[in-house]
Amino acid sequence: MVENQIRNTQQPSRAAEIVPAIDLKGVSKSFGPVQANKDINLTVKRNSIHGIVGENGAGKSTLMSILYGFYKADAGDIFVHGKKVQIKDSSHALDLGIGMVHQHFMLVENFTVLENIILGAEGDPLLAASKAAAREELARLAKDYGLNVDPDAIIEDLSVGQEQRVEILKALYRGADVLILDEPTGVLTPTEADQLFRILEQLRDEGKTIILITHKLREIMAITDTVSVMRRGTMVGTVATKDTSPDKLAEMMVGRHVLLKVEKTAAQPGEKVLEVDGLSVTDDIGVPRVKNVSFDVRAGEIVGIAGVAGNGQSQLLEAISGMFNPLLGEIRINGKKIKFDGDGVADEVRRMGLAHVPEDRHKMGLVTTFEEWENSMLGYDDDQKFGNGPFLSVKAAREDAIKRIEMFDIRPQNPRLKTANFSGGNQQKIVLAREMDRDLDILIVGQPTRGVDIGAIEFIHKQIIKLRDEGKAVLLVSVELDEVRSLSDRVLVMFDGEIVTELAPTASEKEFGLAMAGLDPAQQ
Amino acid sequence: MSARQPLPSWALNVLMPAMNVLLALIVGGLAVAMIGENPIQAMQVLAYGAFGSGYGLGFTLHYATSLTFTGLAVAVAFHSGLFNIGGEGQAYVAGLGAIMMALWLDHTHWVFVLVGATVGAMTLGALWAAIPGYLQAKRGSHIVITTIMFNFIASALMSYMLAQVITNPGSNAETRTIAETGRIPLLSEYFEFFKHSPVNIMLFFGVVALIGVYILLWRTKLGFKIRTLGQNPEAARYAGISAVSIIVIAMAISGALAGMMAVNEAVSVQKRLVVGYVQGFGFIGIAVAFMGRAHPVGIVLAAILFGALYQGGSELAFVMPAVPSELVVVIQALVILFSGAMDEMFKPVLERVFGAFRSKPQADKAAEIEEA
Amino acid sequence: MGIEDIIPLLNSSVRFAVPLLLACLAGLYSERSGIVDIGLEGKMLGAAFAAAAVAALSGNVWYGMLAAIFVSVCMSMIHAIASINLRGNQVISGVALNFLALGGTVFIGHSIFKRGGTTPNLSKDERIGPIDLPFAAEIGQVPVIGPIYEQLISGHSIIVYFAFAAVPITAWVLMKTRFGLRLRAVGENPKALDTAGISVFLLRYQALIITGVLCGVAGAYLSTSQGANFSENMTAGRGFIALAALIFAKWKPWNALWTCLLFGVLSAAQIRLQGVEFPLIGEVPVQFIQALPYVLTVVLLAGFIGRAVPPKAVGQPYVKER
Amino acid sequence: PALIYDAAGKNDKSFNEMAWNGAKAYAEATGNSYQDLEIQTDAQREQALRRFAQQGASPIVVPGFTWSEPLTVVAQEFPDTHFAIIDSVVDLPNVRSVLFKEQEGSFLVGVLAAMKSETGTIGYVTAFDFPLLQAFGCGYVQGAKAANADITVLQNFIGTDFGAFNDINTAGEVGRSQLERGADVVYAAAGAAGEGALQAAADAGKYGIGVDSNQNYLFPGSMLSSMVKRVDVAVQAAFTDEMNGAWTSGIQVLGLAEGGVGAAVDEHNEPLLSDEMKAALADYTAKINSGEIVVHDYRSDNSCPVS
Ligand SMILES: Nc1ncnc2c1ncn2[C@@H]1O[C@H](COP(=O)(O)OP(=O)(O)OP(=O)(O)O)[C@@H](O)[C@H]1O
Ligand SMILES: Nc1ncnc2c1ncn2[C@@H]1O[C@H](COP(=O)(O)OP(=O)(O)OP(=O)(O)O)[C@@H](O)[C@H]1O
Ligand SMILES: [Mg+2]
Ligand SMILES: [Mg+2]
């Protein structure tokens, strides 16, 4: 409170001090068999930044979706600025000044920014007027908060960072004074994240109230005033940020002690496993994405690729894993060249000893409508152990799946459950279990912990290190700079399709910052 | 907690479909009443005509066999992510392959005719479906357009073949009849029970096809690849599955299945090929496939249901001539509507009913059953 | 082949194109809102019957038109209930409507007119006849453009002008109005609309009503303007062609116009090419000529049109809570 | 007695409806009743025949060549039942096969068309490429050429399968296209769809020729004539012969001479026919009956000497 006042530029009214912006009492919600929220109480002070943390599937998104009127609570009361309300639907929530930036963005991909902004808030039946109005308002917001995006850009062409700005602008355009952000930084680079936080603080200082869901305790500690912890659909507790620490929070979340920093010994690199030579990749629409990239990864080392999202990492991964034919250059695994002919050499590449954990599990790594055991053999179904000849041995496959479920502690422990019904964290584990637990020579991993809670992060990091210590080669791509630095033995920084430099993980934030901006620190 | 409870599987998979079909029959009955006929009697006749005698059953099964083939065809394509509206044309063109083999071999022995016609039918059917498949995979030509177009093209092609090429002077746009020696036996030749009904050896082929498709889709690696592609093309790419070859293969299988109808109808029963012999069975196959949830068990049930409606319908035409024969089509439509498209209509109601009767723990068990 | 041959050809093309165009636009509204509609055929057939039957009974074709629209909209609402409220399979629902129309028209038609589904012939004033645009005769005297105006532009059924007007109107609605914006959004990402506080259900219902109206007009055109009575299954697959045209047109109104006109021209030309001696080839079997429109469609598609990307959410029922 | 219609159904306003009329005529003339039935699928044909045979109906008349196969089967099962098939031959002791010389009737309307035409171009619209329908067209052309050696006859098909018999709109466009290409008489042999073409002719103030039943009443003033095919006579005859115990099996060919086919002349089209035309009708009728003119039957060799 005290520091609030110090920090606040404008003095909040007395009323605001006592009347909380949001007050949830005994809120419960269940989806069929799944009880997502059990009797939740939550109080959010006016013009404060309130953090919410919790494991995957803890019920954070659901609780916020209820507050935003997207879902209806089965029980419980909602008070907004002290007034008891029955939030009928999202438009009602918006009228009450509650805006939400969803975890999975709610944008129409082939619309312009402007169209997305006005959608649902058009005003009169013809668009012309409202569009003009929106333009001005956007200009104003851009000026006030440095939230600038080209109003006529098509969403598809924007980076995730920009997409998120659009989401925030949507909320502000609708005059939200309570702003909910669900895992906003999951997809952002450190720089983007910092920009976002500056904006959030500015909003708070102007009297808005912000609820921030995140899996990253660093962020919680950095900008929240208060933090609430959820576990398995219940509210474990709410504390003032200044009175707590990452380890305490982690323990509250998971219910046990967790190591937050990765412990690893020095690497003993062996001979080259993966060699990339003058690789250039051009995407379907002819845009060059990877430009003459060369590097190699040795047995027993983890090579990290740092960089802002959208600088060619994805295309690099796709080329190496045989999913996409590169334009020029060659890739060798254990000295054997990958022959790109026709569509889908990914299976051959796998047989050469490469395992691939894709960046986006929902889009690529999993068929969410399949049962868990089916996903646990995706890409390896031709293996002898899954049945000989053309036939598939369901029995063998399920036994194999159970083995992996136990080894990677995937929950619920049911190979017959539809994959969509696993939480994101567990979905990620299914992919890791499939790719890591086999005799591979090199593992390439994209965004291994995106959207995954710390309990799972700790586990995943351990597994990657273990693999390295068994003398496997690992290529790690992540937009989480911390992650890259703490896991890798060498770090390559990628910018605009090129590898600008190689840095030691111990290099300073500043050096990385420069490199990721495309400037080789060596030359500075 | 609301009073709703998740339904046990028997309620979901037996009770609800039954209620849907019943509703369809009731509405159909209203139509009958509308024109001043006795609906109860009509429904009795319908049911008796379809199942009441070995003879009626024979017809029902014969129609069901054809529908099983066209239904499975749609289902296989569907699992690879493609909507094959072309069953009608594929079955039609397949008739050409079937009959030409049959007429070529009919002086030998019916076994050769059976094998030859089957091969011929499956080959042409597969071809007629694989082309749209290839165009989809390679050129991105939308399969729905191409299969629709191929239906029309098939009609023109067959009109040409039957009127100008393999025609037989004196008779009308149809091939000559298969010689006695080469006629595929009807079951009635072995079972008096089926006397005078067209059900024939292809019935067993239908059963084989059902099991075959099940094994293909859920017990082979090809099937796994087909389903992966159908459910998530990106994941298929990630897994190194070649979309082009899988699509072409899936469509070929689909067409081959549709083609089997030719052997059941044209070769075995009509013993010759006549213009437009498919008579819409290809289109009903779409309904059969979707109502059967693209699963062999569902498909066989749907096929029998529709077969029964056809056969019961013709019985109705004898017994109650005042009822226009189109009533059957109307009832078919209602069945498709209620048990196909509106299949969850009664779910909320039932959930409340069950909720009222059952205590929490049981409900949870049911929930688990449902989830697994 | 001079202008005096071309104009009739084009007139015929227009008459072929109009029902396709109306049905195609109907499908456009439905599918842009995220609802697959393979029931266009059935709606047209039902409407064609209603129009012919009511016109014959009342002697007033406009009552027929209203009946057509009413029937088609009702069918569209069945589709709406199945696919929006009950989250049923939209393809099955469409198939069901097609069969319902196929059987229902004859069932009812026969019980009323006792002539196996066909309705009595409509006299000239019981039909929607051609109308002459202002000064058709006068301008007709002007060389070249004269005949074009008098014979090609003028002298069509009001429905023809309606159909052509529907194209720019649809384009305008889609791009320039609130409804259009929301319609496009709901077909791409209904959740985005829902979270913006707009009812997905309501919007889709509105779209399907428009679909019903347009199919109704298309059906009325077949049985009371281009033709003069109803006959069993008289749509003869036009609904499916329209569906193909919609995809061919990549769900865009102007493309829809060109596609349907193209198909109209091919159909009209096909008739005139039957039995014609071609240089070099000689006379081609008539069936090959008859297949021409369909074959060319496939060729064009594979050759030039390429991949058509449907509205993202099309076909999937909107489920809020899994 | 019983009558089982072909797929098009008893209300097709042509072939099957004629058969129905015959049955009705029999009922009126004798006061006896008859049974009839429409079928849905081909598989029902045998079923229907057998049903009536078991019920003891005799004779059982089936109009349409598609009946030949099922009839062959069932007629053998019921040697004591009498059957009659129209438009096809089933060579069995208890079956009467009735054939019509459509080409002869078509010849006559061809003559009328050629004589009526001022443009020197006439048209023939039919459902699809199908021997029976080709036979109509071939006779029509022969007649036209006989009356006017250098007449042009446009021949067009509506579709490629039985669906064409219902596609009124395309039929209309086909008719129009012929009119636009200079035809001023259109002969439509396409079941229900035929009306589309006749309508087009009427709308354009040109002439149409109907088929099977006398369709002159449809568009008085623009119907030049109708090529009537007296299926009704055949059906009524079969019924009455049985009643009078005068049943005869074997092939019965009904041509012009037997009054089985002809060009309908009634109050509706009388005014349109000039005296020369009537004279020509009589003249050619005589020549054909006398055998002086033999009208080629397309079905005999699946080809037509003239076009
Ligand atoms: N739309 C839905 N339908 C059914 N069940 C759902 C739905 N959304 C969430 N759930 C259930 O509610 C639980 C809570 O989900 P929620 O999304 O709130 O978790 P979360 O805390 O946001 O997880 P994450 O940190 O991964 O986003 C999930 O475990 C899931 O079982
Ligand atoms: N069909 C379903 N039934 C029950 N629960 C579901 C279903 N689909 C998803 N869930 C739950 O909903 C929650 C939210 O879904 P979501 O896909 O956002 O998971 P997530 O943990 O947020 O993954 P990510 O962080 O990658 O988005 C997840 O925790 C998952 O357990
Ligand atoms: Mg969440
Ligand atoms: Mg998440």
Side-chain angles (χ1 to χ4, degrees), chain B residues 55 59 63 155-156 159 163-164 167 170-173 177 196 270 272 275 279 310-311 314-315 317-318 325, chain D residues 37 40-44 47-48 50-51 65-66 69 77 128-132 134 160-162 298-299 302:
Chain B
Y55 163 82
F59 269 91
Y63 295 131
S155 163
S159 162
Q164 302 297 340
T167 173
S171 81
N172 264 302
T177 306
H196 295 323
Q270 299 184 17
R272 69 198 193 289
V275 174
Q279 300 185 322
Y310 268 117
Q311 166 51 18
S314 50
E315 192 69 12
F318 292 121
S325 42
Chain D
L37 180 74
Q40 282 289 294
T41 67
D42 280 328
Q44 290 173 1
Q47 199 179 2
R50 202 169 278 115
R51 274 296 283 257
F65 56 88
T66 18
E69 290 305 320
E77 289 172 25
F128 65 108
D129 181 2
F130 192 69
L132 172 67
Q134 295 270 24
T160 53
D161 57 22
F162 289 104
Y298 177 95
R299 287 160 292 193
N302 270 11

Side-chain angles (χ1 to χ4, degrees), chain A residues 123 167 176 317 390 485:
Chain A
E167 281 285 13
L317 286 185
R485 294 172 70 199

Side-chain angles (χ1 to χ4, degrees), chain A residues 31-34 36 55-62 71 103-104 182-183 215 360-362 368 411-412 417-428 449-453, chain B residues 371, chain C residues 191 321-322:
Chain A
F31 298 101
V34 188
E55 294 182 285
N56 292 116
K60 310 180 293 293
S61 300
T62 305
Y71 294 142
Q103 174 172 8
H104 304 286
D182 191 352
E183 285 185 42
H215 289 300
D360 183 338
R361 59 175 175 272
H362 284 133
T368 47
R411 272 176 260 164
L417 186 64
K418 203 163 138 255
T419 310
N421 297 8
F422 285 86
S423 82
N426 283 303
Q427 288 175 357
Q428 182 71 327
T449 56
R450 174 179 286 172
V452 169
D453 64 65
Chain B
E371 261 196 44
Chain C
K191 216 166 172 185
E321 304 188 11
R322 289 159 296 188

Side-chain angles (χ1 to χ4, degrees), chain D residues 112-173:
Chain D
L112 293 180
M115 294 178 74
K116 190 72 181 179
S117 172
E118 288 154 12
T119 59
T121 307
I122 59 175
Y124 174 59
V125 177
T126 191
F128 65 108
D129 181 2
F130 192 69
L132 172 67
L133 298 171
Q134 295 270 24
F136 282 83
C138 187
Y140 180 66
V141 180
Q142 291 174 66
K145 297 272 178 190
N148 170 0
D150 44 28
I151 187 114
T152 332
V153 186
L154 305 171
Q155 299 192 55
N156 284 103
F157 299 95
I158 296 163
T160 53
D161 57 22
F162 289 104
F165 281 107
N166 286 319
D167 192 346
I168 306 177
N169 299 80
T170 307
E173 286 304 326

